[in-house]
Amino acid sequence: MSGTERLFTKEFLALNGVAFLTFCNMAVFFQFYLYLQTLPIAPEWYGFLIALFSVTGLIIRPLISPFLSSGNARKWMLISVAGVIVSLLGYNLATDFWSMFLVRAVHGITYVILGVALNARLVDLIPPSKSGQAFGLITVITLLPFAVIPPILDMATPRLGGFATVLNLSAALMVMIFPISLAVKTPAGKGRDMAIQRPSIGDLTKNLKDRRVSMLLLLMLLLYSSYTPVFFFIEGYARKTGITNPGLFFTLSTVSEIGVRLFAGPLFDRINKLYLVAGSLAAIGMGYLALAHLSGSFMFYSLGIFLGLGWGVVMPVLNALLFDVSPPHLRGFNTNLGVQMFQGGFFLGPLVGGLILTRLDFKAIYYFCAILTFGSMALTPLLTERGKSIRRSSGL
């Protein structure tokens, strides 16, 4: 980590540009389920093929994270970008189950390598005093494609000639990462500081034994496991209660998330982060309880705004806390473990929610979400070391 406290360096902005293009690549798969229906693939395999992309991440990320550091991140970014481009073009040839299985697996693997390498270099550029603001901005960058691209695709895909053409254009867009990467530096010299050293097995073991790190990872898993059932099941719930435009819930929540991170991001470093996490989780839990007792469109859309504000605060602040408690040479590794919890939540949340729905109803799903969230809030006192709260970069 350099001695500067500047956040908006040329390299930081370039890496955020890479992140934006990478998540644009993800957002175009909004229509993937519909595309699978046009291929000679049995419907019972659709869910598996959609999930295969994330499953590769769950398997590969913890295996490769210790080996990707700030020192080799640029090289692996460029190699993986080439792999992602080839994968996107490969969808043109994937016309049956096994060819699609191969393309999805390769795409998932190369995408994970890209994400891990990106995080490994990006966290090395964040001044500790601005971790909250930095992760607030980074999560805005990752949200924007999902807010903008799906509605554009609805209009553009038929005019472009189909989903395969959209993926070809996405591959062309990823080529832009190569010139952008010229601003990404590779730290030189054998005497590099700890922030770019490869962690040893002992380092990783000690890291996971740190109660603050393990508790933060557990909080993230619980948070995302409660977050995903809202989006996977909200449309069916809304239509059952007579709400005709449930998609507006996503728009309002996303705008709220982006807004609070843009305008309140600097406050994330001035207020004790533990208070922000506990308060946000309490508000989100109450929002889920209110969602279980939904009555009318006004309440539905208002909860979209309310929950968006809560998610908009707690998600970047948890990432910032994980950054704060991590030794410099493990910040990239722990950030990637945080992404692992995100993907784990996207697996567990819908899985448990679907099981609940087979026996109970939608209200029970959101009671489940509330229980997970209040349980997370109850764990926040454990984010301390010897009775002292995490104060670094909290402004206190």
Side-chain angles (χ1 to χ4, degrees):
M1 187 75 199
S2 63
T4 180
E5 288 297 299
R6 288 181 59 217
L7 177 61
F8 295 104
T9 62
K10 182 186 297 184
E11 190 173 2
F12 179 81
L13 295 174
L15 286 168
N16 275 281
V18 173
F20 177 76
L21 292 173
T22 301
F23 278 88
C24 284
N25 164 248
M26 278 291 294
V28 297
F29 281 86
F30 174 75
Q31 295 181 330
F32 187 53
Y33 176 76
L34 297 178
Y35 176 67
L36 287 174
Q37 294 177 344
T38 68
L39 301 177
I41 297 175
E44 57 264 27
W45 291 110
Y46 294 167
F48 172 79
L49 290 171
I50 293 170
L52 180 61
F53 184 90
S54 296
V55 170
T56 56
L58 288 170
I59 297 171
I60 299 297
R61 180 173 280 104
L63 299 178
I64 65 174
S65 292
F67 301 99
L68 295 184
S69 66
S70 185
N72 62 14
R74 184 174 182 271
K75 177 183 74 174
W76 284 104
M77 276 176 50
L78 296 179
I79 291 173
S80 56
V81 167
V84 168
I85 291 171
V86 170
S87 299
L88 288 168
L89 296 176
Y91 282 91
N92 291 277
L93 305 176
T95 56
D96 57 20
F97 173 80
W98 285 111
S99 58
M100 183 62 75
F101 175 90
L102 178 62
V103 170
R104 289 292 284 172
V106 173
H107 188 194
I109 292 169
T110 54
Y111 182 87
V112 168
I113 296 172
L114 174 57
V116 172
L118 176 64
N119 284 333
R121 182 60 186 150
L122 189 58
V123 297
D124 194 34
L125 302 173
I126 298 174
S129 64
K130 297 182 179 179
S131 61
Q133 181 182 11
F135 281 102
L137 291 170
I138 291 167
T139 49
V140 166
I141 293 295
T142 61
L143 272 175
L144 279 174
F146 293 97
V148 174
I149 288 180
I152 292 176
L153 283 181
D154 286 336
M155 297 182 292
T157 300
R159 299 177 183 179
L160 292 173
F163 183 69
T165 305
V166 170
L167 296 185
N168 293 338
L169 292 174
S170 182
L173 192 66
M174 293 294 286
V175 173
M176 293 175 59
I177 291 179
F178 291 106
I180 292 174
S181 68
L182 294 175
V184 179
K185 302 174 184 177
T186 300
K190 296 182 179 179
R192 297 195 289 262
D193 62 34
M194 292 179 64
I196 56 175
Q197 292 178 8
R198 180 181 297 173
S200 66
I201 297 296
D203 289 334
L204 300 179
T205 302
K206 182 179 178 181
N207 174 62
L208 294 176
K209 286 183 177 179
D210 186 330
R211 186 180 66 185
R212 298 167 301 168
V213 172
S214 58
M215 282 298 105
L216 281 166
L217 293 173
L218 177 59
L219 279 174
M220 288 179 173
L221 180 62
L222 293 175
L223 173 67
Y224 293 123
S225 295
S226 68
Y227 169 82
T228 49
V230 176
F231 286 103
F232 281 104
F233 299 105
I234 195 72
E235 183 169 1
Y237 182 39
R239 294 194 183 281
K240 185 178 179 181
T241 56
I243 296 169
T244 56
N245 187 13
L248 187 56
F249 180 97
F250 303 113
T251 303
L252 292 171
S253 63
T254 302
V255 169
S256 296
E257 286 187 69
I258 292 173
V260 73
R261 290 169 186 176
L262 285 177
F263 294 106
L267 295 177
F268 296 167
D269 297 303
R270 298 174 187 171
I271 302 173
N272 189 306
K273 293 186 177 77
L274 290 183
Y275 297 157
L276 286 174
V277 168
S280 299
L281 289 173
I284 292 169
M286 289 187 288
Y288 291 153
L289 289 178
L291 199 58
H293 295 274
L294 188 62
S295 61
S297 297
F298 178 79
M299 180 180 178
F300 179 71
Y301 297 132
S302 297
L303 283 173
I305 297 172
F306 181 78
L307 288 170
L309 292 172
W311 295 326
V313 173
V314 74
M315 291 178 182
V317 172
L318 281 174
N319 279 291
L321 274 175
L322 189 59
F323 174 93
D324 290 346
V325 304
S326 302
H329 66 301
L330 290 174
R331 284 173 180 160
F333 176 76
N334 282 343
T335 298
N336 281 310
L337 285 183
V339 178
Q340 187 80 346
M341 297 304 102
F342 174 84
Q343 290 193 322
F346 267 75
F347 174 75
L348 291 175
L351 176 65
V352 177
L355 293 174
I356 291 173
L357 200 56
T358 59
R359 295 179 176 271
L360 300 169
D361 58 11
F362 287 106
K363 289 185 178 182
I365 291 177
Y366 299 114
Y367 281 129
F368 164 73
C369 293
I371 290 170
L372 287 186
T373 307
F374 288 130
S376 302
M377 184 185 68
L379 293 175
T380 54
L382 297 178
L383 300 178
T384 58
E385 184 179 28
R386 296 177 183 176
K388 296 180 180 179
S389 64
I390 302 169
R391 292 179 178 269
R392 186 172 65 176
S393 304
S394 67
L396 294 176

